[in-house]
């Protein structure tokens, strides 16, 4: 569901599990009609779920990586491979979940268009407060995120819908899949004047860049 979840100690078991299940639905649903968006990323409208949103999905191979090392990098080393991530700070943690402050830049296309439109520029970095939940998924892992409101995290600048990374071992290394849902209203507010198609492409290219950077990452065993 949309909107940030108001965090409470009573949610430590239910919320991580529901976040994983709702995020994995992005991969498993047969309700969406997929079309090419940009690079190796496909998109589908969220209208099937009664939402003014869209879903992006992509996958790639991480050659020569072990699934354990790849999972650690995706979860713990995001600033090293995410060109938009400025930093992550843990606020609270539990058994296979945590809550983090995630500072992120907007995609370059959105920043560029705001300058062309002479719109007032947003802060150079937007803060998100995210619940991250993970678990073993067969022989691999699933890592899901969603926005929450947490008393110790401060006020977030934006809210995001569920997203999910899946990592499975394969003959070449690790098969990585990523899916995420975006609300149009949130993106339109941050890039006024940008068409919905260009919004989708901007976010799709960001996801494609993450996969390319991860595919070229030097994974090290611990």
């Amino acid at each position: 569901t949309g909107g940030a979840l108001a965090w409470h100690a009573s949610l430590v078991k239910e919320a991580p599990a529901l976040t994983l299940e709702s995020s994995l639905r992005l991969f498993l649903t047969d309700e969406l009609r997929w079309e090419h968006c940009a690079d190796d990323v496909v998109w589908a409208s969220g209208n099937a779920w009664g939402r003014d949103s869209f879903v992006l999905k992509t996958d790639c191979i991480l050659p020569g990586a072990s699934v354990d090392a790849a999972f650690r990098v995706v979860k713990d080393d995001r600033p090293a491979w995410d060109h938009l991530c400025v930093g992550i700070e843990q606020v609270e943690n539990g058994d296979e979940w945590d809550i983090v402050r995630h500072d992120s830049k907007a995609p370059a296309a959105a920043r560029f268009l705001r300058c062309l439109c002479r719109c007032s520029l947003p802060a150079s970095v937007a803060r998100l407060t995210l619940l991250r939940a993970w678990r073993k998924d067969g022989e691999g892992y699933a890592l899901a995120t969603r926005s929450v409101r947490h008393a110790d995290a401060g006020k977030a600048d934006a809210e995001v819908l569920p997203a999910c990374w899946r990592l499975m071992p394969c003959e070449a290394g690790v098969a990585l899949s990523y899916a995420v849902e975006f609300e149009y209203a949130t993106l339109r507010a941050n890039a006024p004047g940008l068409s919905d198609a260009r919004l989708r492409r901007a976010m799709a290219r960001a996801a494609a860049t993450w996969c390319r950077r991860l595919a070229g990452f030097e994974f090290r065993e611990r």
Side-chain angles (χ1 to χ4, degrees):
T1 58
L5 176 70
W7 185 256
H8 187 271
S10 63
L11 300 175
V12 296
K13 291 185 177 180
E14 180 182 18
L18 290 176
T19 297
L20 277 160
E21 292 305 320
S22 62
S23 299
L24 286 167
R25 180 189 180 199
L26 300 175
F27 293 105
L28 304 175
T29 182
D30 57 4
E31 300 172 314
L32 302 179
R33 180 177 177 181
W34 300 99
E35 302 177 39
H36 177 258
C37 186
D39 298 320
D40 294 325
V41 183
V42 295
W43 80 280
S45 171
N47 288 344
W49 296 335
R51 295 202 285 266
D52 187 25
S53 67
F54 65 95
V55 180
L56 297 178
K57 186 168 65 172
T58 190
D59 53 62
C60 64
I61 299 297
L62 311 183
S66 75
V67 72
D68 290 330
F71 172 69
R72 284 194 298 268
V73 166
V74 170
K75 183 172 78 72
D76 298 330
D77 294 338
R78 185 152 188 159
W81 53 264
D82 180 351
H83 61 299
L84 301 178
C85 181
V86 177
I88 293 179
E89 181 182 356
Q90 193 174 78
V91 175
E92 184 177 345
N93 68 290
D95 183 18
E96 297 189 322
W97 65 269
D98 64 10
I99 293 173
V100 298
R101 285 189 287 258
H102 179 123
D103 292 339
S104 181
K105 297 181 291 186
R111 298 196 303 271
F112 179 64
L113 185 89
R114 291 188 72 108
C115 292
L116 289 181
C117 294
R118 300 187 180 183
C119 304
S120 58
L121 283 169
S124 59
V125 174
R127 170 156 291 176
L128 306 173
T129 303
L130 300 178
L131 166 64
R132 305 189 305 176
W134 57 90
R135 73 182 185 202
K136 287 288 288 183
D137 183 19
E139 296 181 352
Y141 293 91
L143 167 66
T145 62
R146 64 159 298 159
S147 280
V148 295
R149 294 189 300 273
H150 192 287
D152 296 334
K155 181 176 174 58
D157 299 311
E159 297 177 359
V160 294
L161 294 176
C164 189
W165 298 88
R166 296 185 79 186
L167 302 95
M168 298 296 294
C170 65
E171 186 174 350
V174 173
L176 175 73
S177 301
Y178 174 67
V180 59
E181 185 177 5
F182 293 100
E183 285 183 324
Y184 280 114
T186 300
L187 297 180
R188 290 169 186 151
N190 284 282
L194 200 65
S195 70
D196 288 351
R198 291 188 67 186
L199 285 170
R200 292 193 298 268
R201 287 196 295 271
M203 301 315 299
R205 286 172 180 145
T209 299
W210 297 336
C211 282
R212 284 195 298 271
R213 291 170 69 99
L214 281 166
F217 200 89
E218 184 178 348
F219 296 94
R220 296 179 179 176
E221 300 297 330
R222 289 185 181 176

